[in-house]
Amino acid sequence: MKIAIGNDHVAVDMKNEIKAYLEAKGIEVINVGTDSSDRFNYPVSGYKVAKMVAGGEVDLGVLICGTGVGISLSANKVKGIRACVCSDPYTAKLSRQHNNTNIIAFGARVIGVETAKMIVDEWLNASYEGGRHQVRVDMISEIENTQHLNAAE
C-alpha cells in the first residue's frame, strides 16, 4: 500500500509521527507536505495529495492541518476525492465503510497523536461495504459530475 501525506506548518510534528507510524506498518508514505514551521498554505498539500489519489499514484491519502477542515475542503475540490475530517476512530471507520473515503483528515490542534494513530488504524482496517451505500456514493459522484442531483427529493 502507498499513502500520500500532506500537512501545513501547524501539523509538521504530527505528520512526522503519523508518517513514521505508517512506515513501521510497512506502508510506503509519500510526503508532499511541509517540513518547516514557516507559514504554509494548506490548500497546496491538500491539492497535491488529492491529485495523487485521484490519479492512482497512491492508494489513499492522509491530510493534517490545524483542524483538518481547510485541508480536506481543498482535497474535496478534486474530482473523485471523498475526504473526511475525523476526530474519533468510529467516524473514520464508518467513513470508509459507508462513504468509501479515500482521504482522511484530522487536526493537530484538535486531537493528540495517539488518537490520530487510532483514527488511521480504524480507517485503514475498514473496508467499503457497498450495497445500500453505493446508491449514496453514486449520488455524490453525480453531483460532482453534473453539479445537480437527478433524484426524487
Side-chain angles (χ1 to χ4, degrees):
M1 176 177 290
K2 189 185 296 188
I3 294 178
I5 193 166
N7 61 291
D8 69 359
H9 58 283
V10 172
V12 172
D13 292 339
M14 183 175 279
K15 183 269 306 272
N16 288 333
E17 290 204 43
I18 297 301
K19 181 179 182 290
Y21 182 70
L22 290 169
E23 289 172 337
K25 293 176 173 291
I27 297 170
E28 182 180 352
V29 181
I30 309 299
N31 175 18
V32 300
T34 185
D35 291 317
S36 169
S37 61
D38 294 341
R39 186 169 300 279
F40 182 87
N41 294 317
Y42 56 78
V44 173
S45 55
Y47 177 73
K48 284 181 182 178
V49 168
K51 289 298 282 185
M52 291 177 79
V53 171
E57 292 178 62
V58 296
D59 301 299
L60 298 167
V62 174
L63 295 172
I64 316 167
C65 66
T67 63
V69 174
I71 202 164
S72 68
L73 290 172
S74 302
N76 276 320
K77 297 300 180 185
V78 175
K79 186 175 181 173
I81 295 303
R82 289 174 306 284
C84 180
V85 180
C86 294
S87 297
D88 64 273
Y90 183 70
T91 301
K93 177 181 176 179
L94 288 186
S95 80
R96 192 82 183 275
Q97 290 178 332
H98 295 186
N99 308 113
N100 201 18
T101 53
N102 47 18
I103 295 179
I104 194 86
F106 37 85
R109 290 179 172 159
V110 177
I111 62 170
V113 72
E114 294 306 316
T115 299
K117 289 176 184 177
M118 288 187 283
I119 287 169
V120 167
D121 284 342
E122 286 294 320
W123 186 65
L124 290 177
N125 291 329
S127 297
Y128 178 54
E129 294 176 352
R132 65 188 171 97
H133 304 293
Q134 188 60 50
V135 171
R136 296 174 191 114
V137 171
D138 289 344
M139 291 173 86
I140 293 167
S141 294
E142 182 180 342
I143 293 167
E144 179 179 63
N145 291 325
T146 64
Q147 297 297 300
H148 68 278
L149 185 60
N150 292 320
E153 294 183 23

